[in-house]
Every structure is written in structure tokens, then in C-alpha cells.
Amino acid sequence: FLAEFGGDLQVVWDDEGALAIAYGLEGMPASYLIDRTGRLRKSHFGFDPKKLPEIQAEVETLLAEKVPDAAKE
């Protein structure tokens, strides 16, 4: 997906588990879709290949959103 559509993706390694606690990790693997403002928009736990089209659509929706105007915040 990233090879085809690109994107600025940050992967975080959390040895202490702080992010797991902050986001209420419910299972592994866990994926969190966070929008451009840092707000958690979707979370997925476990892996089900049947859900890939749904997750891809969610990612594409977030990538298509405009960058918020800092002056409005």
C-alpha cells in the first residue's frame, strides 16, 4: 500500500509500554490510525485479512483530509 500511495508514516518502538497504556491496548497486533491533528480516529486489534479493504479505505480517507489551518485552532 505505501509503495503505491506513499505517505509519511511514523513507526514507534515503545519498550516501556507507555503508548499501550495511553491508548488502552486491547490486543496484539494493534494498529492505530491517528489523524493530522494527533487525534486517534480508528483502532484495530488482531489481524484479519478480510478487513484489509476496510482498513485501506480508512487510511485513504485520513490521507485525503486537508491539513488543518493552524490559524483556526
Side-chain angles (χ1 to χ4, degrees):
F1 175 82
L2 290 175
E4 183 177 345
F5 293 100
D8 185 13
L9 176 70
Q10 182 178 8
V11 177
V12 179
W13 186 260
D14 182 20
D15 285 336
E16 302 299 319
L19 290 174
I21 293 167
Y23 285 107
L25 179 64
E26 297 177 19
M28 294 288 285
S31 300
Y32 299 97
L33 300 180
I34 300 171
D35 68 15
R36 296 176 192 271
T37 67
R39 189 177 71 167
L40 176 64
R41 297 284 291 274
K42 295 283 182 176
S43 55
H44 296 276
F45 305 102
F47 178 74
D48 182 353
K50 291 180 236 165
K51 290 190 173 190
L52 289 177
E54 172 189 347
I55 296 169
Q56 181 173 342
E58 293 168 353
V59 170
E60 289 174 358
T61 296
L62 290 177
L63 290 173
E65 290 181 354
K66 296 185 187 261
V67 176
D69 182 2
K72 293 180 183 177
E73 294 181 10

